[in-house]
Amino acid sequence: MDRVPILKLGDILIVSIQIDLEDQSVLALQEDLADKIVDTGARGVIIDITAVEIVDSFIGRMFATIASISRMLDAETVVVGMRPAVAITLVELGLSLGGVRTALNLEKGVALLNHLDGAQIAAAPR
């Protein structure tokens, strides 16, 4: 089973999915990412799915689950690079990925996380 690499850029973790996702690789990613968030204190996670051509209901639900786990560990998640066919499939499957932010590309995903971080700091009680 291939593992999905998790890269660190400042206080953001970047997950670039370049393999065909199977159920076991997605479950391993979920565990690996949770461990890495705790180990690094990351405040944001970007999941780049530019290379993903096909999703099924399990994989779609796992994106939402990964985002929920990240939020519980104090890190926001942004999914970037979603192809139109993947978006259509997710909607047809009834998976709106509630709570998962999206951006068109990696650059916009990093900008979104930086914006969210600034907004959270400004809203924090003093």
Side-chain angles (χ1 to χ4, degrees), residues 35-49:
D35 289 341
K36 195 85 163 181
I37 291 169
V38 171
D39 291 346
T40 64
R43 66 169 177 83
V45 174
I46 294 177
I47 302 174
D48 184 354
I49 61 170

Side-chain angles (χ1 to χ4, degrees), residues 4-125:
V4 177
I6 302 170
L7 308 172
K8 185 174 183 306
L9 176 68
D11 53 1
I12 296 173
L13 297 177
I14 300 173
V15 179
S16 183
I17 299 173
Q18 301 293 321
I19 61 171
D20 288 333
L21 292 173
E22 298 174 4
D23 293 358
Q24 290 302 318
S25 58
V26 174
L27 291 171
L29 172 59
Q30 179 180 305
E31 290 181 29
D32 292 348
L33 186 56
D35 289 341
K36 195 85 163 181
I37 291 169
V38 171
D39 291 346
T40 64
R43 66 169 177 83
V45 174
I46 294 177
I47 302 174
D48 184 354
I49 61 170
T50 304
V52 175
E53 295 180 11
I54 300 171
V55 294
D56 60 18
S57 60
F58 177 76
I59 301 223
R61 282 192 313 272
M62 290 312 297
F63 286 145
T65 300
I66 286 170
S68 294
I69 291 169
S70 297
R71 252 190 323 277
M72 290 195 158
L73 297 173
D74 199 28
E76 290 296 326
T77 300
V78 179
V79 174
V80 303
M82 187 178 302
R83 294 172 183 238
V86 171
I88 291 167
T89 300
L90 290 171
V91 170
E92 287 174 348
L93 291 171
L95 300 170
S96 63
L97 299 184
V100 178
R101 290 181 167 85
T102 60
L104 290 177
N105 56 43
L106 183 59
E107 183 179 358
K108 289 185 179 190
V110 170
L112 177 59
L113 284 174
N114 287 332
H115 173 75
L116 290 172
D117 192 44
Q120 289 171 352
I121 290 170

